[in-house]
Amino acid sequence: MPFIPNNDADRKKMLDTIGVKSFEELITAIPQNVRLDKELNLPSALSEYEVIKLLKNYAAKNTSIETHTCFIGGGAYDHFTPAIVGSVIERPEFKTAYTPYQAEVSQGTLQAIYEYQSMICQLTGMDISNASLYDGGMAFAEASVLAVKKNKSNEILLAGTINPHFIETANTINAGHNINYKSFISDDGTCDLDALKSSINDKTAAVIVQQPNFLGNIEDVFEIEKIAHSHKALFIVVVNPISLGVMEAPSNYNADIVIGEGQALGLPLNYGGPYLGIFACKSELSRMIPGRVVGITKDTEGSRGFALTLQTREQHIRRDKATSNICTNQGLFMLAATVYMATMGKEGIKEVAEQSMLKAHYLADKIAQLPDYKVNNAKPFFNEFLVITDKNHSDIINKGIENGILPGLCTCKYTDYGVKSGILIAVTEKRTKEEMDNFVEFLKKV
């Protein structure tokens, strides 16, 4: 976007139009004590070429997955993204589109959303998917509100370790709903089934489980489902979409709502966002689903067309009937995920999942053989596992960065959420045997 300067004549014309004599008169409402009373300490002006060169120098100082081998997970993963994903979303008709208010001129965007919804339903086995939300934390927050409204209770039980960022996001967004989250976590981080069973009651709005959980372990979702539905609570499952390439679809264990972070579906790490929120559910909850849903129809000439079929948001229906104040879906990244899923197909996603899982188990076995390191537990896991060590976690991470390795996520700051302190290590299909062996050698020497 170019900078278009204004001259004195332009400024005078604008002030005259507004009805004030000077810029000072325009800002009289701003108290003097909050105004900047000095010149900004800015460097001298640079040419466009010099600015680009300077910014490239700054960017080169960043630690990135281009220069370091990444073992960080915790909700965002270093998966390979086919080049076609970037090629499609860079097209101007997609990249510059805001939101499909006028269906008749937004058929391409609406079709992409429809395809996204269809593939999410295939992946999760659920009846209906919305057009996406902002991110996994937003999906968690919206699922919580849906459960509270449906069952007219503000108590939600968390089965095992849940991504702390999701819980924190929900507490912020849903502060007015006064939702009471109660966690049931055993010593190893998985769900304490006995405690969950004894605590659930008819006033429980929902039971939420993350599968795999935040520490990577596989939860006993079949047993948790029985506990949830024994008291008519909604059963909400947080998924890693890639894991569904090798794991049971949530519909197979009777999930009512499936939510998740869609970053693994072809999205870059992006310094932590923006990402993509997945939200799918059973058809009986369709009138309470947040956001928007695109459907397929026929026009007056019998040709196929797409339309916003369901829009339970405050801009489209009476505010007291709205399920959410979400104003749009994460359109561009929804498209990226759609292109990724269409490109990879069922077999491609299955292969990504298998490679991630097998490589993670290879690395976990190697680390478990090292003195001073142990894997958190012997329970099944997908592509992520917690390593416990008495060594200083910050030292390991900082020295790893010095050696071209991003060793993992320190979970020390999540202990308030029932998460054990350690280093959470994630492995994707991108990691090679050489990279993993180098990581093990680094841990030996650190």
Side-chain angles (χ1 to χ4, degrees), residues 202-394:
D202 292 339
K203 293 184 179 180
T204 301
V207 174
I208 305 180
V209 63
Q210 184 167 336
Q211 179 72 328
N213 67 26
F214 181 65
L215 300 182
N217 287 118
I218 309 301
E219 296 282 1
D220 188 351
V221 287
F222 289 90
E223 184 61 28
I224 296 171
E225 181 272 329
K226 292 176 185 176
I227 296 171
H229 287 147
S230 67
H231 287 270
K232 298 182 180 179
L234 288 183
F235 182 41
I236 302 171
V237 181
V238 184
V239 298
N240 172 346
I242 293 296
S243 73
L244 298 179
V246 292
M247 294 175 63
E248 289 274 7
S251 61
N252 293 346
Y253 44 89
N254 201 21
D256 296 301
I257 301 173
V258 177
I259 57 178
E261 174 54 66
Q263 179 273 333
L265 299 175
L267 308 188
L269 288 170
N270 272 348
Y271 300 96
Y275 287 155
L276 172 77
I278 295 170
F279 195 110
C281 63
K282 290 180 176 177
S283 57
E284 54 261 37
L285 298 174
S286 61
R287 288 286 170 183
M288 301 183 74
I289 197 170
R292 52 161 69 110
V293 177
V294 170
I296 192 168
T297 185
K298 290 184 178 180
D299 62 18
T300 55
E301 298 177 351
S303 300
R304 184 184 72 169
F306 299 90
L308 288 174
T309 304
L310 192 63
Q311 301 166 82
T312 53
R313 63 196 195 121
E314 98 290 345
Q315 288 185 337
H316 290 100
I317 61 176
R318 293 197 306 275
R319 289 187 176 184
D320 60 319
K321 300 294 183 183
T323 63
S324 167
N325 66 350
I326 283 181
C327 289
T328 186
N329 65 303
Q330 191 67 283
L332 193 65
F333 283 150
M334 169 280 304
L335 177 64
T338 304
V339 177
Y340 177 86
M341 288 187 285
T343 302
M344 302 299 287
K346 292 179 180 179
E347 291 303 315
I349 291 177
K350 179 182 177 183
E351 182 178 345
V352 170
E354 286 179 341
Q355 285 201 33
S356 299
M357 180 177 65
L358 293 173
K359 290 178 178 181
H361 283 74
Y362 170 83
L363 181 59
D365 290 343
K366 289 288 187 180
I367 292 176
Q369 296 171 24
L370 298 177
D372 302 322
Y373 296 92
K374 67 174 183 178
V375 176
N376 178 44
N377 60 49
K379 292 187 175 179
F381 64 92
F382 174 52
N383 74 322
E384 211 161 2
F385 56 94
L386 183 68
V387 170
I388 308 296
T389 179
D390 290 332
K391 293 178 183 288
N392 186 287
H393 300 154
S394 295

Side-chain angles (χ1 to χ4, degrees), residues 381-424:
F381 64 92
F382 174 52
N383 74 322
E384 211 161 2
F385 56 94
L386 183 68
V387 170
I388 308 296
T389 179
D390 290 332
K391 293 178 183 288
N392 186 287
H393 300 154
S394 295
D395 282 349
I396 293 173
I397 290 171
N398 291 332
K399 289 178 181 177
I401 293 172
E402 292 173 7
N403 286 271
I405 299 171
L406 302 176
L409 181 68
C410 179
T411 59
C412 316
K413 56 187 175 183
Y414 303 129
T415 52
D416 288 346
Y417 295 91
V419 177
K420 293 180 70 173
S421 180
I423 298 178
L424 186 61

Side-chain angles (χ1 to χ4, degrees), residues 189-203:
T190 58
C191 176
D192 186 334
L193 293 171
D194 292 334
L196 179 67
K197 189 179 296 184
S198 62
S199 299
I200 195 170
N201 57 60
D202 292 339
K203 293 184 179 180

Side-chain angles (χ1 to χ4, degrees), residues 19 35 47 50 53 64 84 98 132 168 170 222 226 241 245 257 293 317 332 339 341 344 363 374 428 432 444:
R35 295 193 196 182
S47 68
E50 289 171 319
K53 186 177 180 181
S64 75
I84 190 175
Y98 169 55
S132 79
E168 193 171 351
F222 289 90
K226 292 176 185 176
I257 301 173
V293 177
I317 61 176
L332 193 65
V339 177
M341 288 187 285
M344 302 299 287
L363 181 59
K374 67 174 183 178
T428 69
T432 65
K444 281 182 184 179

